[in-house]
Amino acid sequence: MVKETQLQVEAIRNGSVIDHIPANIGIKILKLFKMHKTNERITIGLNLPSSALGAKDLIKIENVYLTKEQANQLALYAPKATVNQIEEYKVVNKLNLALPEHIESVFECPNSNCISHGEPVESKFKVQQKQDNVHLKCHYCEKVFSREIMTEAR
Ligand SMILES: [Zn+2]
């Protein structure tokens, strides 16, 4: 009986499972993809035990499939996350996360003097990666920000 209940909560028929999200990032990712505004059923696990990460967050969304572009944005928050696409309870596809070269209209420039704030333009950043460090360079003010600054600002 316990197992059946668990299955109802844990398994989804169709949709996406985002796993191996670092703890405390799950909520940000929900907001990033505006998942909290959908009518689809969403299951969130926060601070789940993980052998690799210590603690992790996990998100399951029914009937929603992440685009490649969304998966790349996800990579900025959670480079080691995994995205599984589920159909009829089976994993039919695993998305590989890759950092995008550019990110547009997701983040606001942290530089309050940046021209992008006063203009009706979409924000635009070039993604620079050196080993494990990821930086974003604003297209407008050309200032460079760390991944952490960008993802904390939201
Ligand atoms: Zn800027």
Side-chain angles (χ1 to χ4, degrees):
M1 285 306 282
V2 173
K3 268 192 176 165
E4 272 176 36
T5 317
Q6 279 183 338
L7 266 181
Q8 275 188 358
V9 176
E10 289 174 7
I12 60 174
R13 184 169 187 170
N14 296 298
S16 300
V17 176
I18 308 172
D19 199 356
H20 303 107
I21 304 165
N24 304 316
I25 304 287
I27 300 285
K28 282 183 189 175
I29 288 169
L30 281 180
K31 288 184 180 161
L32 172 72
F33 295 136
K34 299 188 170 59
M35 289 171 189
H36 56 302
K37 289 183 179 164
T38 174
N39 292 323
E40 299 294 348
R41 200 193 309 178
I42 296 177
T43 311
I44 311 170
L46 299 177
N47 295 314
L48 304 177
S50 159
S51 52
L53 300 170
K56 67 174 184 180
D57 293 349
L58 177 147
I59 302 171
K60 299 186 181 194
I61 329 142
E62 288 191 19
N63 302 315
V64 171
Y65 296 99
L66 295 193
T67 63
K68 204 177 167 211
E69 192 181 28
Q70 286 177 316
N72 289 349
Q73 287 175 4
L74 177 66
L76 203 64
Y77 284 82
K80 297 194 169 105
T82 55
V83 180
N84 289 341
Q85 298 185 343
I86 312 289
E87 282 177 19
E88 293 299 324
Y89 301 106
K90 290 199 180 103
V91 176
V92 294
N93 193 15
K94 289 175 190 274
L95 288 183
N96 287 320
L97 301 191
L99 282 173
E101 286 181 24
H102 296 94
I103 294 204
E104 288 176 34
S105 66
V106 175
F107 303 106
E108 278 187 20
C109 182
N111 172 13
S112 57
N113 292 323
C114 178
I115 188 174
S116 68
H117 294 301
E119 301 287 327
V121 293
E122 298 284 11
S123 70
K124 200 169 172 183
F125 294 90
K126 186 170 174 30
V127 178
Q128 305 172 323
Q129 187 172 20
K130 281 177 198 150
Q131 281 122 28
D132 275 352
N133 292 320
V134 177
H135 292 94
L136 284 86
K137 184 176 183 185
C138 178
H139 173 74
Y140 298 99
C141 66
E142 301 198 317
K143 282 196 190 300
V144 176
F145 305 95
S146 73
R147 181 182 73 87
E148 288 76 13
I149 286 175
M150 300 303 292
T151 52
E152 283 302 314
R154 284 174 68 91

